[in-house]
Amino acid sequence: MKINYTRDTLSSTYLDAVKIRNIVFVQGQGVPLAIEVDKNEAHCIHFVLYDDTNKAVATCRLLPAENGIAVTLQRMAVLSGNRGKNYGKLILNAAIDFAKKQGYQQMTLHAQLSAKGFYQRMQFESLGQEFEEAGIKHITMIKALS
C-alpha cells in the first residue's frame, strides 16, 4: 500500500486520480465531466492510494485557500470494489497529515449526505444547511487541524 501526491497535472499520479474520479463521479453518479474536472486542477494537491498490486483505488484532492489558513478536501473517491477496506480512512488521514505539516489550521469539505457518517467518524462537524451540488445532496463539514 502506498499513497502518492502531486501538483503536476501531467503526472501519472494525477491521471490515476482523474481516472478514479471519472469512474466514481461521472460514470457512477452522472456528474458532468465539465464540473468534475474544473479550473482548480492545477491549484490542488492530488492524492492517490495504490493497493498492494500497485492499482490506483482511491483519491482525493486538497485545494488550499488563499489565506493560507484553510484547505478544502475535494473529489474524495474510492472505487466501488475497494470500499469497506479502510482505504477512504487511509487517504483522508494522509491528506490531513499533509495539511497539518503545511501549517493549515482547518479543513472543510462538501460531503455527499451518504458519506456524512464517515466524515463524522473522522471528527468533521456539519456546518449549515444541506444543499445540492451536481444534482446530489451535500452538507458542508469542517475539522480543526491544530
Side-chain angles (χ1 to χ4, degrees), residues 48-110:
V48 176
L49 175 93
Y50 295 88
D51 68 11
D52 293 332
T53 67
N54 206 35
K55 179 183 176 204
V57 295
T59 190
C60 67
R61 75 179 193 184
L62 293 178
L63 176 62
E66 290 182 21
N67 65 12
I69 295 170
V71 65
T72 303
L73 179 81
Q74 301 176 324
R75 309 304 195 267
M76 174 88 170
V78 177
L79 292 175
S80 63
N82 294 279
R83 294 181 188 148
K85 298 179 180 180
N86 283 325
Y87 291 165
K89 184 177 179 181
L90 288 171
I91 199 161
L92 179 55
N93 279 331
I96 290 169
D97 289 344
F98 177 91
K100 285 180 179 179
K101 287 177 185 170
Q102 299 300 308
Y104 293 104
Q105 297 174 19
Q106 75 178 30
M107 183 177 286
T108 60
L109 59 89
H110 292 168

